[in-house]
Amino acid sequence: MNILDNFTLKGKVALVTGASYGIGFAIASAYAQAGATVVFNDINQDLVDKGLASYTELGITAHGYACDVTDEQAAQALVKQIEAEVGTIDILVNNAGIIRRVPMLDMSAEEFRKVIDVDLNAPFIVAKAVLPGMIAKGHGKIINICSMMSELGRETVSAYAAAKGGLKMLTRNICSEYGCMNIQCNGIGPGYIATPQTAPLRETQPDGSRHPFDQFIVAKTPAARWGTVEDLTGPAVFLASDASNFVNGQILYVDGGILAYIGKQP
């Protein structure tokens, strides 16, 4: 057997939440290239339609569904529909997420709960929905998109850090409960990734200088650059494939080395 055969996803059904664009779209597209059948959801049909058009442009036949993954009944219905129309889910990537950059004293409890609901409760809800099918099939891969904020705090992201820290521990607990059933649950912790959402933080300033936050991130990253969504696809394929069958309960940080680095002396 060729070692590369361990990395194929041929014959697998992969559900990537919130994958109409961005990191989720890149991961789902990589799964399609590796042979998987791609399924994704987003919060409304307009986003799903845009996502389907983007997959079609790449020559990928994807299955898109509108679903609010914070709604347990809706998520259960979504998984049942996917099982009926596409097949039992072999791979789940809990990618859907939000962030609110608000100082803690200015953040309402309602805003805090909203971030926790999307970034922590939803992965629990969707994992709970797919686990019975994985157990019946005798294998499964669950990948949670964590964050460096699973390990670090920073100003204005109290809710996000709390959610991603919780997601790290949910990852370990799913491993603890279902590892004996040949189900692997791991996380990916992206560093600072260049996406349309972070573009304003990388814009050249009127005087021609780099944005202060851009300078800060590059200085703190041993790789001396922002990551790209493509940097996440190899780790995502690895964790979804048979190559990672004895890797469980781990968070793979794809951060260019930030978490390993104390920074330069001033």
Side-chain angles (χ1 to χ4, degrees):
M1 180 178 174
N2 189 307
I3 184 64
L4 295 179
D5 292 340
N6 286 324
F7 293 87
T8 183
L9 302 182
K10 187 175 181 179
K12 306 293 187 182
V13 175
L15 168 60
V16 185
T17 67
S20 294
Y21 59 91
I23 289 172
F25 179 82
I27 289 174
S29 299
Y31 285 172
Q33 293 174 38
T37 299
V38 169
V39 184
F40 74 99
N41 84 291
D42 222 310
I43 189 69
N44 60 54
Q45 192 61 46
D46 284 346
L47 284 172
V48 171
D49 291 342
K50 289 177 182 177
L52 287 170
S54 297
Y55 287 110
T56 299
E57 284 182 12
L58 294 180
I60 296 170
T61 300
H63 304 264
Y65 298 86
C67 178
D68 178 356
V69 288
T70 67
D71 182 329
E72 185 169 11
Q73 289 186 338
Q76 290 281 350
L78 170 67
V79 170
K80 286 184 172 63
Q81 186 175 1
I82 293 168
E83 289 174 343
E85 297 178 356
V86 185
T88 302
I89 295 164
D90 300 286
I91 302 158
L92 166 65
V93 180
N94 279 311
N95 166 75
I98 61 172
I99 187 169
R100 295 285 184 269
R101 294 182 177 89
V102 180
M104 185 172 169
L105 290 179
D106 297 330
M107 176 174 271
S108 68
E110 182 180 357
E111 289 175 308
F112 187 92
R113 290 189 189 102
K114 178 63 176 177
V115 175
I116 298 294
D117 205 22
V118 176
D119 293 358
L120 180 56
N121 291 342
F124 165 79
I125 287 169
V126 184
K128 182 180 173 183
V130 304
L131 275 165
M134 292 180 173
I135 292 168
K137 206 166 187 178
H139 70 82
K141 302 280 186 176
I142 297 174
I143 301 164
N144 293 322
I145 303 302
C146 297
S147 167
M148 290 189 304
M149 297 302 110
S150 297
E151 301 290 341
L152 300 172
R154 201 172 77 77
E155 298 86 349
T156 75
V157 293
S158 58
Y160 185 78
K164 294 299 186 178
L167 187 57
K168 174 183 71 174
M169 294 312 301
L170 177 63
T171 299
R172 292 176 175 174
N173 210 76
I174 293 172
C175 157
S176 300
E177 287 198 51
Y178 300 103
C180 62
M181 299 175 186
N182 194 29
I183 293 168
Q184 291 84 50
C185 182
N186 294 289
I188 293 176
Y192 285 90
I193 306 298
T195 66
Q197 288 73 26
T198 60
L201 300 175
R202 291 177 281 108
E203 288 180 350
T204 301
Q205 301 301 285
D207 64 0
S209 66
R210 297 166 70 174
H211 191 290
F213 192 79
D214 183 18
Q215 296 179 46
F216 167 72
I217 292 304
V218 171
K220 288 290 185 183
T221 306
R225 66 174 177 86
W226 288 63
T228 67
V229 291
E230 289 75 21
D231 288 320
L232 300 171
T233 57
V237 170
F238 165 66
L239 290 177
S241 72
D242 288 345
S244 62
N245 281 349
F246 204 55
V247 178
N248 212 351
Q250 305 301 310
I251 312 299
L252 176 52
Y253 290 100
V254 186
D255 66 355
I258 290 179
L259 288 174
Y261 186 44
I262 196 171
K264 294 179 181 178
Q265 182 177 341

